[in-house]
Amino acid sequence: LLYTIKFEKMNPVLLDEQNADLNFNIRADGLAGHSLSHNGWQYMWAGCRATHGVLRGKVFFEVHIINNFMLNEFLEGCDVKADCNVRVGWSHDHSNLLVGEDPNSYAYDGAAFKGSDGKFDVYGGRLNLHDIVTCYLDLDSGIISFQRNAEFLGTAFKLDKRSSKDSPYFPHICVKNTEVFINFGQKAPTFEPPHGFMFISQTHPNNVVPTPKLTSKEIEVIMMIGLPGAGKTTYAEKQVSEHPEKRYYILGQDMVMGHLRNAALRRYKLKWNRVVKLCSDIAEEQLKLAPTKQRNYIIDQTNVYAAPRRHKLRMFENCKAIAAVLVVTDTELIKRYFYYLLYGYCILKFSHRMNAAPVINSSPQGSKVKVGIRSF
């Protein structure tokens, strides 16, 4: 190859454990990863971004599909086996970890689609085991394109240059029952890139920005406390949207349900009661995995009993623990009571009061939120 690697100019670009789903396992060298594929995880995507994003220039990286996990067993209540798939592309830092589902998030899906903002069109071809996908980002012209093995697939997306002026684009990988190796520039490219393109790790240092890293003393764990229907998930999602710099990861059944619902009910034809049980099991396993990765968490569960609260927070030693207690207001209770009389159903029919710190003004509609740092 005419392409030569200049190691002295390399930026240490790796897969970022603090910017990945909990079910994405990263190899010790930070250059390979795979999704969990057991106990229901096989029906969920696992996403991960790189440690560095790009502000300008022409860069690329390679994704090598090195293993597909052959899943022969059927999940109870399901008549379709889980599939293997890969999505690769570029995204802004605070977008969804499933690439292609948000604005400023652009993906090439291994099922022969391209997608952004949740809208997908036919593109390229299907990806198979041992394929190599090259992901090109040209911020000078505002173009994203892809290459499958030696076949250049053409322009996939044209970017709004204003959106990338101050917000870097990060390499982004999602896998399902698949293992991938990422070549950010630590070895020569498999196929000669177009003129002017460089590996992301070899572009000028002024063109890339790293994501800030959390230390164990900076980690926050917000524990939601409240009965079903009190607004815990609404409050948790509001914290995520209002504080993107903290990269809160929500631990709870509702978050898993959002990832799993469409695939489980439509593609895999799971019964609803089986989906609920599956989400509960995955959420419990998430809680066990969370302390192994340094990041900010919101535990979106009822947590109304003291003993389970203490048990959960023992796993997050040396972290800043915050209680967010949600109490449904009397006015909302009356509205729900009349709704129950009219329709025979009510989310919450009684009040549950707990002591905590002062009330703040960012509560979900119909609920009071009390927050404070306290021991459990």
Side-chain angles (χ1 to χ4, degrees):
L1 290 173
L2 299 176
Y3 192 95
T4 58
I5 298 177
K6 300 178 181 180
F7 288 99
E8 69 275 11
K9 293 185 178 180
M10 290 186 67
N11 305 297
V13 182
L14 303 169
L15 294 173
D16 190 354
E17 191 173 66
Q18 293 188 0
N19 211 346
D21 281 312
L22 290 177
N23 57 323
F24 191 96
N25 275 358
I26 300 175
R27 202 169 68 185
D29 62 3
L31 298 173
H34 65 87
S35 60
L36 296 181
S37 300
H38 64 279
N39 296 340
W41 290 108
Q42 63 266 40
Y43 296 99
M44 293 181 62
W45 287 97
C48 181
R49 270 185 281 267
T51 54
H52 292 66
V54 186
L55 284 169
R56 60 189 70 86
K58 298 179 179 182
V59 297
F60 72 97
F61 67 98
E62 293 179 343
V63 179
H64 299 236
I65 303 174
I66 59 177
N67 193 16
N68 283 340
F69 305 129
M70 303 306 294
L71 305 171
N72 296 318
E73 73 280 2
F74 289 85
L75 191 67
E76 181 185 352
C78 178
D79 57 2
V80 180
K81 287 189 292 186
D83 60 335
C84 301
N85 202 356
V86 176
R87 278 189 193 178
V88 297
W90 303 86
S91 70
H92 281 179
D93 185 22
H94 304 304
S95 62
N96 195 312
L97 281 171
L98 180 52
V99 64
E101 296 295 333
D102 279 357
N104 299 314
S105 179
Y106 303 92
Y108 170 28
D109 189 292
F113 294 99
K114 65 176 182 178
S116 177
D117 199 14
K119 302 170 185 175
F120 286 80
D121 298 306
V122 174
Y123 175 82
R126 285 187 172 273
L127 297 177
N128 302 303
L129 182 62
H130 305 309
D131 278 349
I132 299 171
V133 186
T134 309
C135 307
Y136 296 105
L137 174 65
D138 180 356
L139 288 176
D140 296 339
S141 302
I143 291 175
I144 291 176
S145 53
F146 299 93
Q147 180 174 313
R148 183 188 60 184
N149 300 319
E151 179 187 4
F152 184 71
L153 302 177
T155 298
F157 305 100
K158 293 186 177 180
L159 305 176
D160 180 354
K161 291 186 179 181
R162 293 172 297 178
S163 68
S164 58
K165 185 176 180 181
D166 299 314
S167 299
Y169 280 96
F170 289 78
H172 196 153
I173 300 97
C174 288
V175 295
K176 190 194 299 180
N177 306 310
T178 302
E179 184 176 10
V180 293
F181 166 79
I182 315 301
N183 183 10
F184 293 116
Q186 64 276 8
K187 68 175 188 176
T190 310
F191 304 99
E192 192 73 14
H195 177 72
F197 279 87
M198 300 183 68
F199 270 120
I200 182 174
S201 65
Q202 296 170 16
T203 190
H204 193 280
N206 290 341
N207 293 343
V208 297
V209 291
T211 53
K213 298 300 175 188
L214 288 171
T215 64
S216 58
K217 293 182 179 179
E218 296 173 323
I219 294 176
E220 293 181 359
V221 178
I222 299 178
M223 175 165 280
M224 306 305 302
I225 302 173
L227 292 174
K232 299 183 298 300
T233 299
T234 301
Y235 178 82
E237 291 175 348
K238 190 172 184 180
Q239 295 304 301
V240 172
S241 63
E242 290 182 350
H243 303 283
E245 74 285 354
K246 293 191 175 183
R247 292 194 193 87
Y248 284 117
Y249 194 92
I250 299 177
L251 302 172
Q253 186 171 327
D254 285 345
M255 190 280 291
V256 177
M257 182 75 75
H259 281 72
L260 187 64
R261 179 175 56 239
N262 289 339
L265 291 178
R266 296 177 187 174
R267 180 176 178 84
Y268 302 117
K269 302 176 184 177
L270 284 171
K271 295 181 179 179
W272 178 250
N273 61 343
R274 185 67 184 107
V275 173
V276 173
K277 177 65 166 58
L278 193 60
C279 291
S280 178
D281 293 344
I282 292 174
E284 287 302 314
E285 190 164 352
Q286 271 190 332
L287 196 58
K288 296 175 183 177
L289 287 171
T292 66
K293 300 187 179 183
Q294 291 188 343
R295 59 192 308 170
N296 295 322
Y297 293 103
I298 300 177
I299 304 177
D300 182 19
Q301 297 173 337
T302 53
N303 300 312
V304 294
Y305 295 107
R309 289 201 300 267
R310 286 193 295 268
H311 173 72
K312 292 172 185 176
L313 286 181
R314 284 194 191 103
M315 297 186 288
F316 298 94
E317 293 181 350
N318 302 320
C319 299
K320 180 181 178 182
I322 300 173
V325 185
L326 280 84
V327 182
V328 177
T329 63
D330 292 337
T331 302
E332 179 67 14
L333 285 171
I334 293 172
K335 287 168 59 179
R336 295 186 183 191
Y337 176 69
F338 280 107
Y339 185 93
Y340 175 71
L341 293 178
L342 288 171
Y343 301 104
Y345 173 78
C346 186
I347 298 174
L348 187 63
K349 291 181 286 185
F350 54 91
S351 176
H352 188 91
R353 306 201 174 273
M354 308 185 72
N355 294 321
V359 174
I360 64 174
N361 294 322
S362 60
S363 60
Q365 185 175 3
S367 296
K368 294 180 181 177
V369 182
K370 301 180 179 182
V371 298
I373 303 172
R374 56 179 294 179
S375 61
F376 291 86

